[in-house]
Amino acid sequence: MKTKIKLIAILVILAGIINPQITEAQAWGGGRKSKSQIWDDWSINVNAGLTSFFGDLSKFDTEIMEKLTQESGPAFSGILTKTLGQSRKFGLSGQLLYGGLKGENNSKVSFEATIIEYNFHGRVSLINLFSPDNRSKLGIELYGGIGQFIFKTTKYDERNSEIDINQKDTGTPEFLYFFGTGLSYKVIDKVGITLDVAMRQAQNDYLDDFVKNDNYDYYTYLSLGATYNIDSFKKSKGFRKPSAIQGRIPGNLPMRRRR
């Protein structure tokens, strides 16, 4: 029940972001067509970093350096974002992520895992939200959404003086929801650098193949990346106001009436 309530809440928030921005994109104002069309204002971000595990087989949850060095694995992802409206306050994104996880407990049980995740999420630019006329190169974003992931886990159990190796390969994508925050800085006109951290909440306790307290596992993704902004995927012919001389033959002036 709690999962369904959280899912409904996320969908309502995303719908609230999308609806007013679509209305703005289709509106007319000031005698010209809005620039926010479906092919305009996109960005592509590529990033790399570390995915860190939190669950039954993790013991450095409150120690950052040990968590990053001993219970994390390399990861990378790509994000495609559509900025909504001329105010650039909101955005809709899709992400594909590949990462590695590892962990252990004090009972000689450890694991390693790889994950592939795809998700859909909404973004809010805090600076543009509270300062619409912002011209700063620095950006701060909050984002959240839903997705699915598949994983392959190898568990090593040495409690019986022998190494018992067990592999778990999920065949069905697992549901997750996540929230995160990020910083960005515009280096040049179309290129920026980003720093992000996000928490992913899985909806099962099998990511480490070790069920103890029946608490759902989760993992984080800390990344550094680069963004390329795309004004439009196609050339725009623009929009011009009807002219008073529209319809006249080019190069000819109006004929004077003979007396």
Side-chain angles (χ1 to χ4, degrees), residues 184-212:
S184 64
Y185 183 81
K186 183 186 293 185
V187 180
I188 56 177
D189 183 37
K190 295 183 181 298
V191 178
I193 56 176
T194 58
L195 176 65
D196 285 80
V197 61
M199 187 276 288
R200 269 91 167 148
Q201 175 70 70
Q203 295 303 292
N204 64 56
D205 191 29
Y206 306 113
L207 187 51
D208 54 3
D209 196 23
F210 189 87
V211 179
K212 181 179 180 181

Side-chain angles (χ1 to χ4, degrees), residues 26-248:
Q26 294 176 343
W28 288 71
R32 64 184 180 86
K33 195 173 183 178
S34 171
K35 293 182 180 179
S36 183
Q37 302 300 305
I38 186 64
W39 299 109
D40 301 339
D41 299 324
W42 291 80
S43 65
I44 298 176
N45 178 272
V46 290
N47 52 78
L50 295 172
T51 41
S52 305
F53 176 75
F54 294 80
D56 295 320
L57 293 185
S58 65
K59 59 182 181 180
F60 298 114
D61 293 352
T62 59
E63 302 171 43
I64 297 178
M65 293 306 300
E66 286 79 3
K67 171 64 69 175
L68 295 177
T69 57
Q70 299 185 42
E71 293 182 348
S72 303
F76 56 90
S77 85
I79 304 173
L80 179 65
T81 299
K82 163 62 177 171
T83 301
L84 301 175
Q86 292 178 303
S87 61
R88 307 184 68 84
K89 299 176 183 177
F90 305 102
L92 293 177
S93 302
Q95 180 180 23
L96 181 63
L97 167 69
Y98 175 87
L101 300 170
K102 59 182 179 179
E104 61 180 306
N105 63 10
N106 295 320
S107 302
K108 296 184 179 182
V109 181
S110 61
F111 86 101
E112 295 179 347
T114 57
I115 57 171
I116 298 176
E117 174 197 316
Y118 48 92
N119 67 64
F120 174 76
H121 60 276
R123 292 176 170 266
V124 180
S125 173
L126 294 183
I127 295 181
N128 289 347
L129 183 65
F130 295 105
S131 179
D133 297 326
N134 165 55
R135 293 295 182 269
S136 173
K137 293 184 178 181
L138 179 67
I140 303 175
E141 289 188 330
L142 295 179
Y143 53 89
I146 56 176
Q148 291 183 313
F149 72 102
I150 55 177
F151 62 91
K152 182 177 182 179
T153 298
T154 302
K155 184 179 69 175
Y156 305 91
D157 191 341
E158 302 179 53
R159 288 177 293 184
N160 297 321
S161 300
E162 296 181 354
I163 300 179
D164 182 18
I165 301 176
N166 183 54
Q167 286 190 338
K168 183 178 182 62
D169 192 351
T170 178
T172 304
E174 302 287 342
F175 175 79
L176 62 82
Y177 64 89
F178 68 100
F179 299 94
T181 183
L183 297 176
S184 64
Y185 183 81
K186 183 186 293 185
V187 180
I188 56 177
D189 183 37
K190 295 183 181 298
V191 178
I193 56 176
T194 58
L195 176 65
D196 285 80
V197 61
M199 187 276 288
R200 269 91 167 148
Q201 175 70 70
Q203 295 303 292
N204 64 56
D205 191 29
Y206 306 113
L207 187 51
D208 54 3
D209 196 23
F210 189 87
V211 179
K212 181 179 180 181
N213 299 318
D214 199 27
N215 294 324
Y216 290 158
D217 298 326
Y218 65 96
Y219 58 96
T220 60
Y221 179 42
L222 175 66
S223 66
L224 180 67
T227 296
Y228 180 76
N229 296 300
I230 302 171
D231 292 333
S232 179
F233 279 110
K234 67 177 182 178
K235 294 182 178 180
S236 175
K237 296 181 180 180
F239 179 82
R240 293 181 297 179
K241 292 182 178 181
S243 172
I245 61 172
Q246 186 174 355
R248 295 178 181 173

